[in-house]
Amino acid sequence: MSSVKSVVPIQAERESPVYVTQPYLPPLAEFIPYLTKIWNSRVLTNGGPFHQQLEHALREYLGVPHVALFSNGTLALVTALQAHRITGEVLTTPYSFVATAHSLLWNGIRPVFVDIDPRTLNMDPARIEAAITPQTTAIMPVHCYGHPCDVDAIQKIADNYNLKVIYDAAHAFGVKDDGGSILRHGDLSVLSFHATKVFNTFEGGAIVCPDARTKQRIDHLKNFGFVDEVTVVASGINGKMSEINAAFGLLQLEHIDYALSRRREIDTLYRELLQGIRGIRCLDPSHETEANCSYFPILVGPDYPMSRDALYEELKRHGINPRRYFYPLISDFPMYRGLPSSARANLPVAAAVSQQVLCLPIYPDLAHETIDVITDIIATAGR
């Protein structure tokens, strides 16, 4: 008989269940002065003072040349593709949030899915060249869970075939490799500042770009294509970040180092408590020298006493709500499953991992006692 039933349910200890993430919110009193300035100025959007300050502050904090803020990460992805006039086919991963591939469809681009590396769960460079066709114009990899892709191998392939590289870096805020920010790689990197991310602006996103000319084009595209009051140079959209979101981002930056340090503590604790549990694998670091611990995925292998889905339900029964990121694969959804590259035979690693992955709760306010409960359930489930 399982000893899980002896664990005190989380609901008995807390007023609400434990979710896979929870947005970090600084003290409300610290946000009031920002709101007061917005009310006094009556500037709510269109690149106001807080918008300008946040772009500058993010450049400084991340160590990147240029940052263009957006109202969300999906519009940033769509615009990044527009900025480089990407057409035809783009190689990408099936193992991500659907916005990665959706941004391609919104631009009339055909996604071509490439399998993932079994260790990092990022796009496997060894599989990229075989997927390139005369219609291929770019590669869109994802730094999954904030673990960097093999950026050198990907760039070498892109250079050989004259392809653009646009990174979906939604998970990679603050991540560094030996040379500095992981966001400096590729032609563009796109961030998400959604409420669930390491750094959030309620809703928001950004494009990191290498030069002022590219940033200018992006700024035009995100504001309907306007250059000035009477000049429109592109069929742009409304992707601008508001002053309220930008102000909140400035406040969040004051607390980001604390939030990251707490995430790293929690990551370390999980690894200590899960060590030695048969059938449970924690992901190893990739090429990062400084991680952001944006997610804590485990893989539930065949040696574990129950299936991933059974463990998922067992945790939920105790008030813990993990997520099966990423299941199903993007390639399994109706708008993609008919593509030749979506065939399971083309994606054996991604297909297997999607049946095993379980992301455990991780956020700065997660109590160590709750982590003890979670890991105890995993250790004792199925016995």
Side-chain angles (χ1 to χ4, degrees):
M1 180 178 295
S2 172
S3 60
V4 165
K5 294 178 182 177
S6 66
V7 177
V8 177
I10 291 295
Q11 290 100 321
E13 301 173 358
R14 295 170 177 265
E15 294 181 359
S16 59
V18 175
Y19 293 102
V20 71
T21 190
Q22 184 182 94
Y24 179 77
L25 297 176
L28 180 59
E30 294 183 16
F31 193 39
I32 301 303
Y34 290 90
L35 294 176
T36 301
K37 288 182 180 180
I38 292 171
W39 255 249
N40 290 339
S41 72
R42 297 184 181 272
V43 176
L44 304 183
T45 186
N46 285 349
F50 285 136
H51 178 284
Q52 300 301 322
Q53 289 174 42
L54 182 57
E55 285 193 341
H56 176 78
L58 287 172
R59 288 198 308 271
E60 293 291 314
Y61 183 83
L62 296 171
V64 296
H66 296 278
V67 173
L69 293 174
F70 277 77
S71 55
N72 60 66
T74 302
L75 284 176
L77 279 173
V78 170
T79 305
L81 293 160
Q82 283 280 324
H84 280 296
R85 300 176 174 87
I86 305 299
T87 60
E89 295 179 351
V90 170
L91 310 186
T92 192
T93 173
Y95 192 77
S96 180
F97 185 61
V98 290
T100 304
H102 282 359
S103 69
L104 299 172
L105 286 193
W106 273 86
N107 278 286
I109 297 165
R110 181 185 179 97
V112 175
F113 296 112
V114 175
D115 207 6
I116 61 175
D117 181 284
R119 187 181 69 85
T120 66
L121 310 189
N122 289 323
M123 186 187 291
D124 187 348
R127 303 289 299 273
I128 290 176
E129 283 193 88
I132 295 173
T133 74
Q135 287 71 49
T136 306
T137 58
I139 307 171
M140 183 183 277
V142 176
H143 298 302
C144 193
Y145 308 131
H147 298 303
C149 295
D150 189 340
V151 292
D152 292 335
I154 290 171
Q155 192 61 54
K156 183 177 180 180
I157 295 167
D159 291 342
N160 287 342
Y161 289 88
N162 194 29
L163 304 176
K164 296 292 185 182
V165 180
I166 296 175
Y167 279 103
D168 182 338
H171 302 174
F173 185 92
V175 176
K176 295 181 180 179
D177 63 11
D178 287 331
S181 173
I182 198 67
L183 304 173
R184 76 189 190 282
H185 294 285
D187 294 280
L188 297 171
S189 287
V190 178
L191 289 162
S192 171
F193 302 149
H194 183 262
T196 60
K197 296 300 187 286
V198 168
F199 171 84
N200 82 79
T201 58
F202 298 144
E203 276 277 12
I207 300 177
V208 174
C209 44
D211 58 80
R213 183 177 180 181
T214 303
K215 178 170 188 312
Q216 183 180 61
R217 172 162 168 76
I218 289 168
D219 285 343
H220 291 161
L221 285 168
K222 76 177 182 185
N223 188 29
F224 305 103
F226 276 104
V227 175
D228 55 39
E229 188 176 342
V230 296
T231 308
V232 176
V233 295
S235 54
I237 56 174
N238 185 4
K240 304 182 298 295
M241 177 180 282
S242 79
E243 282 293 274
I244 289 177
N245 296 103
F248 187 70
L250 286 167
L251 177 58
Q252 287 282 54
L253 268 183
E254 297 178 24
H255 295 263
I256 188 62
D257 289 336
Y258 164 76
L260 289 171
S261 68
R262 280 290 297 139
R263 285 178 172 275
R264 292 170 187 139
E265 288 175 18
I266 293 166
D267 181 278
T268 299
L269 183 57
Y270 266 133
R271 291 178 186 277
E272 290 175 356
L273 295 174
L274 293 170
Q275 188 175 11
I277 299 178
R278 186 168 57 91
I280 298 295
R281 174 191 156 199
C282 300
L283 247 62
D284 295 325
S286 180
H287 302 280
E288 63 264 45
T289 57
E290 196 166 313
N292 67 7
C293 302
S294 55
Y295 296 82
F296 195 86
I298 61 172
L299 297 182
V300 183
D303 292 341
Y304 191 70
M306 62 170 61
S307 71
R308 185 274 310 272
D309 288 347
L311 177 58
Y312 169 76
E313 295 296 339
E314 185 67 21
L315 286 163
K316 288 182 70 175
R317 191 172 70 82
H318 287 82
I320 309 295
N321 290 271
R323 292 295 295 270
R324 291 167 289 188
Y325 290 144
F326 292 98
Y327 166 84
L329 296 176
I330 297 175
S331 50
D332 290 336
F333 292 118
M335 63 291 299
Y336 301 108
R337 67 168 67 117
L339 296 171
S341 64
S342 294
R344 282 299 175 104
N346 184 55
L347 307 168
V349 178
V353 169
S354 73
Q355 298 291 330
Q356 296 180 350
V357 69
L358 197 63
C359 283
L360 303 181
I362 183 167
Y363 48 88
D365 293 331
L366 185 64
H368 286 192
E369 293 80 7
T370 303
I371 299 169
D372 289 338
V373 172
I374 293 168
T375 54
D376 190 32
I377 292 170
I378 296 171
T380 58
R383 287 184 187 171

